Amino acid sequence: MKLEKAASQLEALGNPTRLQLYRILVRAGEGGLPVGSIQGKLDIPSSTLSHHLKRLVDTGLVTQERQATTLICRANYPGMNALIGYLADECCADASCAPAVGKAMA
Amino acid sequence: MKLEKAASQLEALGNPTRLQLYRILVRAGEGGLPVGSIQGKLDIPSSTLSHHLKRLVDTGLVTQERQATTLICRANYPGMNALIGYLADECCADASCAPAVGKAMA
DNA sequence: ACCCTATTTCGAAAAATATGGAAATATGAT
DNA sequence: ATCATATTTCCATATTTTTCGAAATAGGGT
């Protein structure tokens, strides 16, 4: 993963509203959630939600699929795993990093 | 870890310059690196660097220790691990998340 | 064609961030 | 005390982000 991409994903998650939004999608599981449902949980205007959602989609952390008039949103687990992997790798690059998360000592 | 804190740390890392800066500190290992050294590697004005550094320190991702006139900066590994843990937990909360990073199936 | 719901785009304003030169502060050496 | 180096703080500016109402678009249903 390129540093630029990692940074953009981190930035996307680095906003309380978006992190909360992402959390909701993660907890929703594979089935995902329509935009309207998310709005009910977050209680923010639809235009604001749409912007945040777009940000997460643009950075590859969330995917969307149309089902008639509703748009289903899903957390992109592989995307998140790649990001976590990047952070873990950076963290343990050539430093001792004992309590690392599942990274074999290189 | 509170969502707010996670978000602020993610935001801190979500800037290319700061992510690069953090990476440099991680790779520097336990010994850390003086601000001046970092500046040489990043080639940005000292005031800009100082601002970015402060951001990382404020969010708890970097620690600093004075040694005479130079300030040694170190990546705060436990801090990063806590953040990675938070992300991994969120990611695997109640969803199937097969390729997770070292998280036992709950 | 018209209507209804879902969602996005437009447009605009407020707030936050990023950047860096210049001046200030910190610490030690002479 | 003076100087020299290291780093921060002050200040200002350009850019980006955040927010959201209003209008537009998308996708059916009748």
Short mmCIF file of all heavy atoms in Angstrom, two decimals, chain A residues 3-4 6-8 10-11 13-16 19-20 23 26-27 29-30 77 80-81 83-88 90-97 99-102, chain B residues 3-4 6-8 10-11 13-16 19-20 23 26-27 29-30 77 80-81 83-88 90-97 99-102:
data_model
loop_
_atom_site.label_atom_id
_atom_site.label_comp_id
_atom_site.label_asym_id
_atom_site.label_seq_id
_atom_site.Cartn_x
_atom_site.Cartn_y
_atom_site.Cartn_z
N LEU A 3 1.94 5.10 0.66
CA LEU A 3 1.75 6.00 1.79
C LEU A 3 0.60 6.97 1.54
O LEU A 3 -0.22 7.23 2.43
CB LEU A 3 3.04 6.79 2.05
CG LEU A 3 3.02 7.76 3.22
CD1 LEU A 3 4.30 7.65 4.02
CD2 LEU A 3 2.83 9.19 2.76
N GLU A 4 0.51 7.47 0.32
CA GLU A 4 -0.56 8.42 -0.01
C GLU A 4 -1.94 7.82 0.21
O GLU A 4 -2.83 8.47 0.75
CB GLU A 4 -0.43 8.87 -1.46
CG GLU A 4 0.61 9.95 -1.69
CD GLU A 4 0.17 11.29 -1.11
OE1 GLU A 4 -1.02 11.43 -0.77
OE2 GLU A 4 1.02 12.18 -0.98
N ALA A 6 -2.72 5.23 2.13
CA ALA A 6 -2.92 5.00 3.56
C ALA A 6 -3.32 6.30 4.24
O ALA A 6 -4.27 6.33 5.04
CB ALA A 6 -1.64 4.45 4.19
N ALA A 7 -2.63 7.37 3.90
CA ALA A 7 -2.93 8.67 4.52
C ALA A 7 -4.37 9.08 4.22
O ALA A 7 -5.08 9.56 5.10
CB ALA A 7 -1.94 9.73 4.04
N SER A 8 -4.81 8.89 2.99
CA SER A 8 -6.16 9.33 2.65
C SER A 8 -7.21 8.48 3.39
O SER A 8 -8.25 9.00 3.80
CB SER A 8 -6.39 9.28 1.14
OG SER A 8 -6.54 7.96 0.70
N LEU A 10 -6.68 7.02 6.32
CA LEU A 10 -6.60 7.41 7.73
C LEU A 10 -7.34 8.72 7.94
O LEU A 10 -8.06 8.89 8.92
CB LEU A 10 -5.13 7.56 8.15
CG LEU A 10 -4.37 6.24 8.26
CD1 LEU A 10 -2.88 6.47 8.35
CD2 LEU A 10 -4.87 5.46 9.47
N GLU A 11 -7.16 9.63 7.00
CA GLU A 11 -7.85 10.91 7.12
C GLU A 11 -9.36 10.70 7.06
O GLU A 11 -10.11 11.33 7.81
CB GLU A 11 -7.40 11.86 6.01
CG GLU A 11 -7.83 13.28 6.25
CD GLU A 11 -7.91 14.06 4.96
OE1 GLU A 11 -8.59 13.61 4.02
OE2 GLU A 11 -7.28 15.12 4.89
N LEU A 13 -11.02 8.21 8.05
CA LEU A 13 -11.49 7.65 9.33
C LEU A 13 -11.25 8.62 10.49
O LEU A 13 -11.78 8.43 11.58
CB LEU A 13 -10.78 6.33 9.62
CG LEU A 13 -11.13 5.17 8.70
CD1 LEU A 13 -10.24 3.97 8.99
CD2 LEU A 13 -12.59 4.79 8.84
N GLY A 14 -10.47 9.64 10.23
CA GLY A 14 -10.07 10.55 11.29
C GLY A 14 -11.06 11.65 11.57
O GLY A 14 -10.69 12.71 12.05
N ASN A 15 -12.31 11.41 11.28
CA ASN A 15 -13.36 12.38 11.59
C ASN A 15 -14.41 11.62 12.42
O ASN A 15 -14.85 10.56 12.00
CB ASN A 15 -13.95 12.90 10.28
CG ASN A 15 -15.20 13.73 10.51
OD1 ASN A 15 -16.26 13.18 10.77
ND2 ASN A 15 -15.08 15.02 10.40
N PRO A 16 -14.74 12.16 13.58
CA PRO A 16 -15.62 11.42 14.49
C PRO A 16 -16.90 10.93 13.81
O PRO A 16 -17.30 9.78 14.01
CB PRO A 16 -15.93 12.45 15.57
CG PRO A 16 -14.77 13.37 15.56
CD PRO A 16 -14.32 13.46 14.14
N LEU A 19 -15.97 8.11 11.46
CA LEU A 19 -15.54 6.91 12.16
C LEU A 19 -16.76 6.19 12.72
O LEU A 19 -16.89 4.97 12.65
CB LEU A 19 -14.55 7.27 13.28
CG LEU A 19 -13.90 6.10 14.01
CD1 LEU A 19 -13.27 5.12 13.04
CD2 LEU A 19 -12.86 6.59 15.01
N GLN A 20 -17.67 6.98 13.24
CA GLN A 20 -18.92 6.44 13.78
C GLN A 20 -19.71 5.76 12.65
O GLN A 20 -20.22 4.65 12.81
CB GLN A 20 -19.73 7.62 14.32
CG GLN A 20 -20.56 7.32 15.54
CD GLN A 20 -21.24 8.60 16.03
OE1 GLN A 20 -20.66 9.69 15.93
NE2 GLN A 20 -22.45 8.47 16.53
N ARG A 23 -18.08 2.60 11.68
CA ARG A 23 -18.36 1.63 12.74
C ARG A 23 -19.74 1.00 12.56
O ARG A 23 -19.91 -0.21 12.71
CB ARG A 23 -18.33 2.37 14.07
CG ARG A 23 -17.68 1.62 15.19
CD ARG A 23 -17.48 2.53 16.37
NE ARG A 23 -18.67 2.54 17.23
CZ ARG A 23 -18.69 1.96 18.43
NH1 ARG A 23 -17.63 1.34 18.89
NH2 ARG A 23 -19.77 2.00 19.16
N VAL A 26 -19.55 -1.44 9.76
CA VAL A 26 -18.83 -2.65 10.14
C VAL A 26 -19.76 -3.55 10.95
O VAL A 26 -19.85 -4.75 10.70
CB VAL A 26 -17.58 -2.29 10.97
CG1 VAL A 26 -17.09 -3.51 11.72
CG2 VAL A 26 -16.50 -1.73 10.08
N ARG A 27 -20.46 -2.95 11.88
CA ARG A 27 -21.35 -3.73 12.73
C ARG A 27 -22.56 -4.26 11.98
O ARG A 27 -23.20 -5.22 12.40
CB ARG A 27 -21.81 -2.88 13.92
CG ARG A 27 -20.67 -2.72 14.90
CD ARG A 27 -20.91 -1.65 15.94
NE ARG A 27 -19.69 -1.53 16.73
CZ ARG A 27 -19.51 -2.16 17.91
NH1 ARG A 27 -20.45 -2.90 18.42
NH2 ARG A 27 -18.37 -2.00 18.54
N GLY A 29 -22.36 -5.65 9.22
CA GLY A 29 -21.94 -6.91 8.59
C GLY A 29 -22.08 -6.91 7.08
O GLY A 29 -22.28 -5.86 6.47
N GLU A 30 -21.97 -8.11 6.53
CA GLU A 30 -21.95 -8.28 5.08
C GLU A 30 -23.21 -7.73 4.41
O GLU A 30 -23.19 -7.34 3.24
CB GLU A 30 -21.80 -9.77 4.71
CG GLU A 30 -20.55 -10.43 5.24
CD GLU A 30 -19.31 -9.99 4.49
OE1 GLU A 30 -19.46 -9.28 3.47
OE2 GLU A 30 -18.19 -10.34 4.92
N TYR A 77 -14.16 -4.73 4.14
CA TYR A 77 -13.25 -5.36 5.11
C TYR A 77 -11.84 -5.54 4.58
O TYR A 77 -10.87 -5.21 5.29
CB TYR A 77 -13.83 -6.70 5.58
CG TYR A 77 -15.16 -6.55 6.26
CD1 TYR A 77 -16.32 -7.05 5.68
CD2 TYR A 77 -15.27 -5.89 7.47
CE1 TYR A 77 -17.55 -6.89 6.29
CE2 TYR A 77 -16.50 -5.74 8.10
CZ TYR A 77 -17.64 -6.24 7.50
OH TYR A 77 -18.84 -6.09 8.10
N MET A 80 -10.00 -2.34 4.88
CA MET A 80 -9.60 -2.03 6.25
C MET A 80 -8.43 -2.89 6.69
O MET A 80 -7.50 -2.42 7.33
CB MET A 80 -10.79 -2.23 7.19
CG MET A 80 -10.42 -2.13 8.65
SD MET A 80 -9.64 -0.55 9.06
CE MET A 80 -11.04 0.31 9.79
N ASN A 81 -8.48 -4.17 6.31
CA ASN A 81 -7.38 -5.05 6.69
C ASN A 81 -6.06 -4.62 6.08
O ASN A 81 -5.01 -4.70 6.71
CB ASN A 81 -7.71 -6.49 6.31
CG ASN A 81 -8.71 -7.10 7.27
OD1 ASN A 81 -8.62 -6.88 8.48
ND2 ASN A 81 -9.68 -7.84 6.74
N LEU A 83 -5.27 -1.61 5.40
CA LEU A 83 -4.82 -0.42 6.14
C LEU A 83 -4.21 -0.83 7.48
O LEU A 83 -3.12 -0.36 7.85
CB LEU A 83 -6.01 0.51 6.38
CG LEU A 83 -5.71 1.77 7.18
CD1 LEU A 83 -4.60 2.59 6.52
CD2 LEU A 83 -6.97 2.62 7.36
N ILE A 84 -4.89 -1.72 8.19
CA ILE A 84 -4.35 -2.19 9.46
C ILE A 84 -2.99 -2.86 9.23
O ILE A 84 -2.04 -2.65 9.99
CB ILE A 84 -5.32 -3.19 10.14
CG1 ILE A 84 -6.57 -2.43 10.59
CG2 ILE A 84 -4.65 -3.87 11.32
CD1 ILE A 84 -7.62 -3.32 11.23
N GLY A 85 -2.90 -3.62 8.15
CA GLY A 85 -1.63 -4.26 7.82
C GLY A 85 -0.54 -3.24 7.58
O GLY A 85 0.58 -3.40 8.06
N TYR A 86 -0.88 -2.20 6.88
CA TYR A 86 0.10 -1.15 6.62
C TYR A 86 0.60 -0.54 7.92
O TYR A 86 1.81 -0.39 8.13
CB TYR A 86 -0.53 -0.06 5.75
CG TYR A 86 0.40 1.09 5.44
CD1 TYR A 86 1.27 1.05 4.35
CD2 TYR A 86 0.41 2.23 6.24
CE1 TYR A 86 2.12 2.10 4.07
CE2 TYR A 86 1.27 3.28 5.97
CZ TYR A 86 2.12 3.22 4.88
OH TYR A 86 2.96 4.26 4.62
N LEU A 87 -0.34 -0.21 8.79
CA LEU A 87 0.05 0.39 10.07
C LEU A 87 0.92 -0.57 10.87
O LEU A 87 1.94 -0.18 11.42
CB LEU A 87 -1.19 0.75 10.88
CG LEU A 87 -2.00 1.95 10.37
CD1 LEU A 87 -3.20 2.19 11.26
CD2 LEU A 87 -1.12 3.19 10.29
N ALA A 88 0.52 -1.83 10.90
CA ALA A 88 1.28 -2.81 11.67
C ALA A 88 2.68 -2.97 11.09
O ALA A 88 3.66 -3.03 11.81
CB ALA A 88 0.55 -4.15 11.68
N GLU A 90 4.39 -0.76 9.32
CA GLU A 90 5.15 0.44 9.62
C GLU A 90 5.64 0.40 11.05
O GLU A 90 6.77 0.74 11.35
CB GLU A 90 4.29 1.69 9.42
CG GLU A 90 4.01 2.00 7.97
CD GLU A 90 5.25 1.94 7.12
OE1 GLU A 90 6.23 2.60 7.48
OE2 GLU A 90 5.25 1.20 6.12
N CYS A 91 4.75 -0.03 11.90
CA CYS A 91 5.04 -0.03 13.33
C CYS A 91 6.17 -0.99 13.66
O CYS A 91 6.95 -0.75 14.56
CB CYS A 91 3.79 -0.41 14.12
SG CYS A 91 4.04 -0.45 15.89
N CYS A 92 6.25 -2.08 12.92
CA CYS A 92 7.25 -3.10 13.25
C CYS A 92 8.37 -3.18 12.23
O CYS A 92 9.16 -4.11 12.23
CB CYS A 92 6.57 -4.45 13.38
SG CYS A 92 5.32 -4.47 14.67
N ALA A 93 8.43 -2.19 11.37
CA ALA A 93 9.39 -2.20 10.27
C ALA A 93 10.78 -2.68 10.67
O ALA A 93 11.17 -3.80 10.36
CB ALA A 93 9.49 -0.80 9.65
N ASP A 94 11.53 -1.83 11.36
CA ASP A 94 12.81 -2.33 11.85
C ASP A 94 12.99 -1.95 13.31
O ASP A 94 14.06 -1.69 13.77
CB ASP A 94 13.98 -1.88 11.00
CG ASP A 94 13.75 -0.58 10.28
OD1 ASP A 94 12.59 -0.18 10.07
OD2 ASP A 94 14.72 0.07 9.92
N ALA A 95 11.89 -1.92 14.00
CA ALA A 95 11.95 -1.58 15.41
C ALA A 95 11.40 -2.74 16.22
O ALA A 95 10.63 -3.55 15.72
CB ALA A 95 11.11 -0.33 15.67
N SER A 96 11.81 -2.80 17.45
CA SER A 96 11.22 -3.80 18.32
C SER A 96 9.85 -3.27 18.70
O SER A 96 9.71 -2.11 19.06
CB SER A 96 12.09 -3.97 19.56
OG SER A 96 12.13 -2.77 20.29
N CYS A 97 8.89 -4.09 18.62
CA CYS A 97 7.52 -3.63 18.80
C CYS A 97 6.75 -4.76 19.42
O CYS A 97 5.82 -5.30 18.85
CB CYS A 97 6.94 -3.25 17.44
SG CYS A 97 5.33 -2.45 17.55
N PRO A 99 4.41 -5.71 21.73
CA PRO A 99 2.98 -6.05 21.81
C PRO A 99 2.26 -5.84 20.49
O PRO A 99 1.15 -5.39 20.44
CB PRO A 99 2.47 -5.06 22.87
CG PRO A 99 3.40 -3.89 22.76
CD PRO A 99 4.70 -4.39 22.24
N ALA A 100 2.93 -6.18 19.40
CA ALA A 100 2.33 -5.97 18.08
C ALA A 100 1.13 -6.87 17.88
O ALA A 100 0.96 -7.86 18.57
CB ALA A 100 3.36 -6.24 17.00
N VAL A 101 0.32 -6.49 16.93
CA VAL A 101 -0.90 -7.23 16.65
C VAL A 101 -0.66 -8.25 15.54
O VAL A 101 -0.71 -7.94 14.37
CB VAL A 101 -2.02 -6.28 16.22
CG1 VAL A 101 -3.30 -7.05 15.96
CG2 VAL A 101 -2.22 -5.22 17.28
N GLY A 102 -0.35 -9.46 15.96
CA GLY A 102 -0.26 -10.56 15.00
C GLY A 102 0.77 -10.41 13.90
O GLY A 102 0.57 -10.86 12.79
N LEU B 3 -13.91 6.59 20.93
CA LEU B 3 -13.99 6.91 19.51
C LEU B 3 -13.33 8.24 19.21
O LEU B 3 -12.60 8.38 18.23
CB LEU B 3 -15.45 6.93 19.07
CG LEU B 3 -15.70 7.20 17.59
CD1 LEU B 3 -16.74 6.26 17.03
CD2 LEU B 3 -16.11 8.64 17.35
N GLU B 4 -13.55 9.22 20.06
CA GLU B 4 -12.97 10.54 19.84
C GLU B 4 -11.45 10.51 19.77
O GLU B 4 -10.83 11.14 18.93
CB GLU B 4 -13.41 11.50 20.96
CG GLU B 4 -14.80 12.07 20.78
CD GLU B 4 -14.86 13.08 19.64
OE1 GLU B 4 -13.80 13.50 19.15
OE2 GLU B 4 -15.99 13.43 19.22
N ALA B 6 -9.55 7.86 19.13
CA ALA B 6 -9.14 7.12 17.94
C ALA B 6 -9.21 8.04 16.73
O ALA B 6 -8.29 8.08 15.91
CB ALA B 6 -10.04 5.90 17.76
N ALA B 7 -10.29 8.79 16.62
CA ALA B 7 -10.46 9.68 15.47
C ALA B 7 -9.34 10.71 15.41
O ALA B 7 -8.79 10.97 14.35
CB ALA B 7 -11.83 10.37 15.53
N SER B 8 -8.99 11.26 16.56
CA SER B 8 -7.95 12.30 16.55
C SER B 8 -6.59 11.70 16.16
O SER B 8 -5.79 12.34 15.47
CB SER B 8 -7.87 13.01 17.91
OG SER B 8 -7.26 12.19 18.86
N LEU B 10 -6.21 9.03 14.23
CA LEU B 10 -6.31 8.70 12.81
C LEU B 10 -6.12 9.96 11.97
O LEU B 10 -5.44 9.96 10.95
CB LEU B 10 -7.67 8.06 12.51
CG LEU B 10 -7.84 6.64 13.06
CD1 LEU B 10 -9.29 6.21 13.02
CD2 LEU B 10 -6.97 5.67 12.27
N GLU B 11 -6.72 11.03 12.44
CA GLU B 11 -6.58 12.28 11.71
C GLU B 11 -5.13 12.73 11.71
O GLU B 11 -4.61 13.21 10.70
CB GLU B 11 -7.46 13.36 12.34
CG GLU B 11 -7.58 14.58 11.46
CD GLU B 11 -7.96 15.80 12.26
OE1 GLU B 11 -7.25 16.12 13.25
OE2 GLU B 11 -8.95 16.44 11.92
N LEU B 13 -2.53 10.92 11.75
CA LEU B 13 -1.76 10.10 10.81
C LEU B 13 -2.26 10.29 9.38
O LEU B 13 -1.60 9.86 8.43
CB LEU B 13 -1.88 8.62 11.20
CG LEU B 13 -1.19 8.24 12.50
CD1 LEU B 13 -1.51 6.79 12.85
CD2 LEU B 13 0.32 8.44 12.41
N GLY B 14 -3.40 10.93 9.24
CA GLY B 14 -4.01 11.04 7.92
C GLY B 14 -3.51 12.20 7.10
O GLY B 14 -4.21 12.69 6.22
N ASN B 15 -2.31 12.63 7.36
CA ASN B 15 -1.70 13.69 6.57
C ASN B 15 -0.38 13.12 6.06
O ASN B 15 0.42 12.61 6.85
CB ASN B 15 -1.46 14.92 7.47
CG ASN B 15 -0.61 15.97 6.79
OD1 ASN B 15 0.59 15.80 6.70
ND2 ASN B 15 -1.24 17.03 6.35
N PRO B 16 -0.15 13.18 4.76
CA PRO B 16 1.02 12.54 4.17
C PRO B 16 2.32 12.93 4.87
O PRO B 16 3.15 12.06 5.17
CB PRO B 16 1.00 13.03 2.73
CG PRO B 16 -0.42 13.33 2.45
CD PRO B 16 -0.99 13.84 3.74
N LEU B 19 2.35 11.30 8.29
CA LEU B 19 2.48 9.84 8.23
C LEU B 19 3.93 9.49 7.91
O LEU B 19 4.51 8.57 8.50
CB LEU B 19 1.55 9.28 7.15
CG LEU B 19 1.48 7.75 7.06
CD1 LEU B 19 1.20 7.12 8.42
CD2 LEU B 19 0.42 7.31 6.05
N GLN B 20 4.52 10.26 7.03
CA GLN B 20 5.92 10.07 6.67
C GLN B 20 6.80 10.30 7.90
O GLN B 20 7.71 9.53 8.20
CB GLN B 20 6.26 11.11 5.59
CG GLN B 20 7.21 10.64 4.53
CD GLN B 20 7.38 11.73 3.47
OE1 GLN B 20 6.43 12.46 3.16
NE2 GLN B 20 8.57 11.86 2.94
N ARG B 23 6.45 7.52 10.29
CA ARG B 23 7.18 6.38 9.74
C ARG B 23 8.67 6.48 10.03
O ARG B 23 9.31 5.51 10.43
CB ARG B 23 6.98 6.39 8.22
CG ARG B 23 6.76 5.05 7.61
CD ARG B 23 6.34 5.21 6.16
NE ARG B 23 7.48 5.32 5.27
CZ ARG B 23 7.85 4.34 4.43
NH1 ARG B 23 7.16 3.22 4.37
NH2 ARG B 23 8.88 4.50 3.65
N VAL B 26 9.20 5.64 13.62
CA VAL B 26 9.04 4.21 13.86
C VAL B 26 10.30 3.48 13.44
O VAL B 26 10.82 2.63 14.17
CB VAL B 26 7.84 3.66 13.07
CG1 VAL B 26 7.90 2.15 12.98
CG2 VAL B 26 6.53 4.09 13.71
N ARG B 27 10.80 3.84 12.27
CA ARG B 27 11.98 3.16 11.77
C ARG B 27 13.22 3.53 12.57
O ARG B 27 14.22 2.79 12.55
CB ARG B 27 12.18 3.52 10.29
CG ARG B 27 11.15 2.81 9.44
CD ARG B 27 11.08 3.30 8.02
NE ARG B 27 9.99 2.60 7.35
CZ ARG B 27 10.16 1.51 6.60
NH1 ARG B 27 11.35 1.04 6.39
NH2 ARG B 27 9.12 0.91 6.06
N GLY B 29 13.34 3.53 15.64
CA GLY B 29 13.37 2.62 16.77
C GLY B 29 13.36 3.32 18.12
O GLY B 29 13.06 4.51 18.22
N GLU B 30 13.70 2.55 19.15
CA GLU B 30 13.61 3.04 20.52
C GLU B 30 14.49 4.25 20.77
O GLU B 30 14.22 5.06 21.64
CB GLU B 30 14.01 1.93 21.50
CG GLU B 30 13.17 0.65 21.41
CD GLU B 30 11.78 0.87 22.01
OE1 GLU B 30 11.55 1.93 22.60
OE2 GLU B 30 10.95 -0.05 21.87
N TYR B 77 5.00 3.33 20.60
CA TYR B 77 4.49 2.04 20.10
C TYR B 77 3.21 1.58 20.78
O TYR B 77 2.27 1.17 20.11
CB TYR B 77 5.58 0.97 20.19
CG TYR B 77 6.81 1.31 19.39
CD1 TYR B 77 8.01 1.62 20.00
CD2 TYR B 77 6.75 1.35 17.99
CE1 TYR B 77 9.13 1.96 19.25
CE2 TYR B 77 7.86 1.68 17.24
CZ TYR B 77 9.05 1.98 17.88
OH TYR B 77 10.16 2.31 17.14
N MET B 80 0.32 3.34 19.29
CA MET B 80 -0.05 2.84 17.97
C MET B 80 -0.74 1.49 18.06
O MET B 80 -1.71 1.23 17.37
CB MET B 80 1.20 2.73 17.11
CG MET B 80 0.97 2.03 15.80
SD MET B 80 -0.33 2.82 14.81
CE MET B 80 0.68 3.75 13.67
N ASN B 81 -0.24 0.65 18.96
CA ASN B 81 -0.86 -0.67 19.09
C ASN B 81 -2.30 -0.56 19.58
O ASN B 81 -3.17 -1.31 19.16
CB ASN B 81 -0.04 -1.55 20.03
CG ASN B 81 1.20 -2.07 19.34
OD1 ASN B 81 1.16 -2.45 18.17
ND2 ASN B 81 2.32 -2.06 20.04
N LEU B 83 -4.28 1.86 18.96
CA LEU B 83 -5.06 2.33 17.82
C LEU B 83 -5.36 1.18 16.86
O LEU B 83 -6.50 0.99 16.42
CB LEU B 83 -4.32 3.45 17.09
CG LEU B 83 -5.01 4.00 15.85
CD1 LEU B 83 -6.40 4.53 16.18
CD2 LEU B 83 -4.15 5.08 15.19
N ILE B 84 -4.32 0.41 16.55
CA ILE B 84 -4.52 -0.74 15.66
C ILE B 84 -5.53 -1.71 16.29
O ILE B 84 -6.40 -2.23 15.62
CB ILE B 84 -3.18 -1.46 15.40
CG1 ILE B 84 -2.26 -0.56 14.55
CG2 ILE B 84 -3.40 -2.80 14.71
CD1 ILE B 84 -0.90 -1.16 14.26
N GLY B 85 -5.40 -1.88 17.60
CA GLY B 85 -6.35 -2.76 18.29
C GLY B 85 -7.77 -2.25 18.16
O GLY B 85 -8.70 -3.04 17.91
N TYR B 86 -7.93 -0.97 18.31
CA TYR B 86 -9.26 -0.38 18.18
C TYR B 86 -9.84 -0.65 16.80
O TYR B 86 -10.97 -1.10 16.65
CB TYR B 86 -9.19 1.13 18.43
CG TYR B 86 -10.52 1.84 18.29
CD1 TYR B 86 -11.40 1.94 19.36
CD2 TYR B 86 -10.88 2.42 17.08
CE1 TYR B 86 -12.61 2.58 19.23
CE2 TYR B 86 -12.10 3.07 16.94
CZ TYR B 86 -12.96 3.15 18.02
OH TYR B 86 -14.16 3.79 17.87
N LEU B 87 -9.03 -0.39 15.79
CA LEU B 87 -9.49 -0.61 14.42
C LEU B 87 -9.84 -2.08 14.20
O LEU B 87 -10.87 -2.40 13.62
CB LEU B 87 -8.41 -0.19 13.41
CG LEU B 87 -8.19 1.31 13.27
CD1 LEU B 87 -7.10 1.59 12.25
CD2 LEU B 87 -9.48 2.02 12.88
N ALA B 88 -8.97 -2.96 14.67
CA ALA B 88 -9.22 -4.39 14.48
C ALA B 88 -10.49 -4.81 15.21
O ALA B 88 -11.30 -5.56 14.68
CB ALA B 88 -8.03 -5.19 14.99
N GLU B 90 -13.09 -2.92 15.98
CA GLU B 90 -14.24 -2.38 15.26
C GLU B 90 -14.53 -3.21 14.05
O GLU B 90 -15.67 -3.51 13.72
CB GLU B 90 -13.96 -0.94 14.83
CG GLU B 90 -13.94 0.05 15.95
CD GLU B 90 -15.15 -0.11 16.84
OE1 GLU B 90 -16.27 -0.10 16.32
OE2 GLU B 90 -14.97 -0.27 18.07
N CYS B 91 -13.45 -3.59 13.37
CA CYS B 91 -13.59 -4.32 12.13
C CYS B 91 -14.20 -5.68 12.34
O CYS B 91 -14.92 -6.19 11.50
CB CYS B 91 -12.23 -4.46 11.45
SG CYS B 91 -12.28 -5.36 9.91
N CYS B 92 -13.93 -6.29 13.51
CA CYS B 92 -14.39 -7.65 13.73
C CYS B 92 -15.49 -7.71 14.77
O CYS B 92 -15.83 -8.78 15.27
CB CYS B 92 -13.22 -8.53 14.14
SG CYS B 92 -11.94 -8.59 12.89
N ALA B 93 -16.03 -6.58 15.11
CA ALA B 93 -17.01 -6.48 16.18
C ALA B 93 -18.06 -7.59 16.13
O ALA B 93 -18.01 -8.54 16.90
CB ALA B 93 -17.69 -5.12 16.12
N ASP B 94 -19.01 -7.49 15.22
CA ASP B 94 -19.93 -8.61 15.09
C ASP B 94 -20.08 -8.98 13.61
O ASP B 94 -21.12 -9.39 13.16
CB ASP B 94 -21.28 -8.36 15.74
CG ASP B 94 -21.67 -6.90 15.80
OD1 ASP B 94 -20.78 -6.01 15.73
OD2 ASP B 94 -22.85 -6.63 15.91
N ALA B 95 -19.00 -8.81 12.89
CA ALA B 95 -19.05 -9.17 11.47
C ALA B 95 -18.01 -10.24 11.21
O ALA B 95 -17.05 -10.39 11.95
CB ALA B 95 -18.75 -7.94 10.63
N SER B 96 -18.22 -10.98 10.15
CA SER B 96 -17.19 -11.93 9.75
C SER B 96 -16.10 -11.12 9.08
O SER B 96 -16.36 -10.25 8.28
CB SER B 96 -17.77 -12.95 8.77
OG SER B 96 -18.20 -12.29 7.61
N CYS B 97 -14.89 -11.37 9.48
CA CYS B 97 -13.79 -10.54 9.01
C CYS B 97 -12.58 -11.42 8.91
O CYS B 97 -11.59 -11.23 9.59
CB CYS B 97 -13.56 -9.39 9.98
SG CYS B 97 -12.40 -8.16 9.41
N PRO B 99 -9.76 -12.29 7.14
CA PRO B 99 -8.32 -12.04 7.13
C PRO B 99 -7.89 -11.03 8.17
O PRO B 99 -7.04 -10.21 7.91
CB PRO B 99 -8.08 -11.52 5.71
CG PRO B 99 -9.38 -10.89 5.32
CD PRO B 99 -10.46 -11.55 6.10
N ALA B 100 -8.46 -11.10 9.35
CA ALA B 100 -8.15 -10.13 10.39
C ALA B 100 -6.72 -10.28 10.86
O ALA B 100 -6.10 -11.32 10.68
CB ALA B 100 -9.09 -10.29 11.57
N VAL B 101 -6.22 -9.23 11.48
CA VAL B 101 -4.85 -9.23 11.95
C VAL B 101 -4.79 -9.69 13.40
O VAL B 101 -4.98 -8.90 14.32
CB VAL B 101 -4.24 -7.82 11.82
CG1 VAL B 101 -2.79 -7.83 12.26
CG2 VAL B 101 -4.35 -7.34 10.39
N GLY B 102 -4.54 -10.95 13.60
CA GLY B 102 -4.29 -11.46 14.93
C GLY B 102 -5.41 -11.29 15.94
O GLY B 102 -5.16 -11.13 17.12
#
